[in-house]
Amino acid sequence: MKSEILSVLKQGGLGFVSGQEISRKFGITRAAVWKYIKQLQNEGYTIESTPKNGYKLISCPDVLTYDEISENLKTQHIGRKIIHFSSIGSTNDKAKELAESGEPEGTVVVSEEQTNGKGRVGRKWISEAYKGILMSIILKPNIDMSAVTLVTQIGCASVGSAINKLTDNVQVKWPNDILINGKKICGVLTESAGEADKTDYIILGIGINVNQTESELPESLSVTSTSLKIEMKRDISRQILVSDIFNEFEKQYQKMQECNNADETLNFCRMHSNIIGKNVLLKRNDWQSKAKAIDLNQQGQLMVRYNDGTCESISSADISILK
Ligand code: BT5
């Protein structure tokens, strides 16, 4: 009911909507309308209220709730249910817990802050509260586990395409980073469970630096990371960016699932790759090797040629570009 009342106030634009009109529309008492208005005010909505004119929405909080994201959302499933937290350890951990207890595909866990944000192999993802996007999409695809690498690429391509609408110089650093002007703006963390021939669930975690200023990014990352605000010198709507990512993601994910076609994803990742055609150093645990990055294959793996001439397609590695 609260969401419905908010939506009536939003449709009212800059005008007042009378309490009587709202109570009649939803068949609730005026006292009940007042209770919901109070709840909205407690959530950060500024609503002017006068006994004579009713209620007028003055401003909305900068939060990533469904009510604030849905206006621009064109999806059927992805992001149609958002579980929103002000603060949480890790959205990936919460999404995993929910996926295991039956939460369906498409639900997204979003938090304004993470106290234990995770990167790959035990690394950390750090973000100032209310400045970035920290979210995890629950997926339950009807595919085998080998497609997890491709799902990570769909995550990168959908974030990359949404950011590409705002600014140039977007690059995808296989397997899981988005860069602007050579600096990291987004990291994707895909975690999955299942058996070789059947995926139980995939959690696609996405962290994006949006409205952080230079001083709000960790000092230790100041040389390697950036935010959209730093690059574009203005505040960016986190709500529109999130809905654009969901719109892009669902389109590409459906093509992969229903038509076995990942061309759009792979072409975006190839076209914007900062490593294809370059000599790179690959590292994984205590193994490392020099190679040339050749291309992405249809599974989203990176095809590399080692210095001894042998070729391999790999699913993960830490990569640095060699001069
Ligand atoms: C990643 O790992 O880049 C994946 C990051 C995924 C974060 C999201 S947030 C929502 C969801 N819930 C989670 O708990 N995680 C996901 P990796 O490639 O291992 O890179 C990690 C490295 O990126 C760190 O060791 C730092 O060097 C760097 N880093 C950490 N925070 C950063 C930031 N805010 N901006 C840029 N770089 C950062």
Side-chain angles (χ1 to χ4, degrees):
M1 182 53 60
K2 196 177 60 182
S3 295
E4 281 86 353
I5 292 176
L6 177 61
S7 152
V8 168
L9 293 180
K10 282 186 174 177
Q11 281 158 23
L14 297 173
F16 277 95
V17 183
S18 79
Q20 199 178 13
E21 192 183 321
I22 302 175
S23 80
R24 210 180 309 121
K25 189 173 169 86
F26 297 115
I28 57 172
T29 63
R30 290 182 69 170
V33 174
W34 174 238
K35 192 186 82 188
Y36 288 118
I37 295 284
K38 271 262 150 251
Q39 283 180 15
L40 287 166
Q41 287 172 329
N42 287 338
E43 287 172 21
Y45 290 89
T46 310
I47 300 169
E48 193 180 321
S49 100
T50 70
K52 191 162 146 269
N53 298 318
Y55 304 106
K56 180 161 80 173
L57 182 63
I58 308 287
S59 68
C60 302
D62 180 11
V63 289
L64 296 175
T65 55
Y66 182 75
D67 285 335
E68 290 308 303
I69 288 170
S70 54
E71 207 171 316
N72 180 45
L73 198 60
K74 301 186 182 81
T75 59
Q76 280 180 299
H77 305 295
I78 304 292
R80 285 292 161 192
K81 178 172 174 192
I82 289 181
I83 302 178
H84 177 264
F85 295 87
S86 304
S87 180
I88 200 170
S90 153
T91 57
N92 262 38
D93 287 348
K94 187 68 192 176
K96 249 191 274 179
E97 197 185 300
L98 289 165
E100 274 162 19
S101 56
E103 193 64 36
E105 168 156 292
T107 298
V108 184
V109 177
V110 179
S111 186
E112 304 294 348
E113 181 190 52
Q114 288 185 133
T115 51
N116 188 26
K118 301 189 306 179
R120 293 176 301 157
V121 289
R123 290 188 286 242
K124 299 261 173 244
W125 184 260
I126 306 161
S127 182
E128 182 86 3
Y130 291 88
K131 298 286 174 170
I133 293 171
L134 306 164
M135 63 182 185
S136 301
I137 307 175
I138 296 175
L139 300 167
K140 297 194 167 174
N142 195 8
I143 48 178
D144 65 53
M145 291 284 267
S146 67
V148 173
T149 312
L150 193 50
V151 170
T152 307
Q153 298 315 299
I154 300 178
C156 288
S158 47
V159 173
S161 310
I163 293 180
N164 202 35
K165 284 191 193 166
L166 300 169
T167 180
D168 297 332
N169 303 327
V170 174
Q171 288 181 311
V172 181
K173 182 171 180 222
W174 188 93
N176 70 318
D177 289 349
I178 306 293
L179 316 177
I180 296 185
N181 295 324
K183 292 184 170 188
K184 182 161 170 172
I185 198 154
C186 166
V188 173
L189 174 66
T190 315
E191 297 184 282
S192 57
E195 284 156 35
D197 58 349
K198 191 185 160 289
T199 307
D200 289 339
Y201 63 80
I202 297 175
I203 305 299
L204 184 76
I206 298 175
I208 310 175
N209 300 331
V210 184
N211 285 324
Q212 290 94 336
T213 58
E214 268 113 347
S215 61
E216 287 165 340
L217 285 177
E219 215 180 308
S220 58
L221 302 175
S222 63
V223 178
T224 51
S225 67
T226 190
S227 74
L228 278 169
K229 180 171 176 157
I230 295 169
E231 297 304 313
M232 297 176 64
K233 305 193 173 31
R234 65 176 171 91
D235 281 312
I236 300 299
S237 163
R238 298 187 301 148
Q239 292 74 12
I240 293 181
L241 184 56
V242 167
S243 52
D244 270 353
I245 293 168
F246 291 162
N247 294 341
E248 270 300 328
F249 182 83
E250 185 171 283
K251 192 176 62 169
Q252 297 186 32
Y253 180 69
Q254 268 175 0
K255 273 194 202 155
M256 178 203 70
Q257 279 244 86
E258 290 163 17
C259 323
N260 204 11
N261 179 339
D263 290 351
E264 185 178 345
T265 300
L266 294 170
N267 286 339
F268 185 93
C269 293
R270 285 182 184 118
M271 226 162 71
H272 292 267
S273 171
N274 74 329
I275 59 164
I276 291 178
K278 305 241 170 79
N279 292 318
V280 293
L281 182 66
L282 307 170
K283 284 191 187 170
R284 201 183 304 124
N285 307 321
D286 43 15
W287 168 87
Q288 70 172 53
S289 183
K290 288 180 183 173
K292 183 161 186 168
I294 307 290
D295 196 2
L296 297 181
N297 68 13
Q298 284 303 110
Q299 287 75 48
Q301 295 170 308
L302 183 69
M303 299 158 73
V304 296
R305 186 170 56 239
Y306 298 109
N307 288 354
D308 66 3
T310 56
C311 291
E312 194 185 13
S313 294
I314 58 171
S315 298
S316 73
D318 279 317
I319 297 186
S320 36
I321 297 170
L322 297 171
K323 293 273 179 282

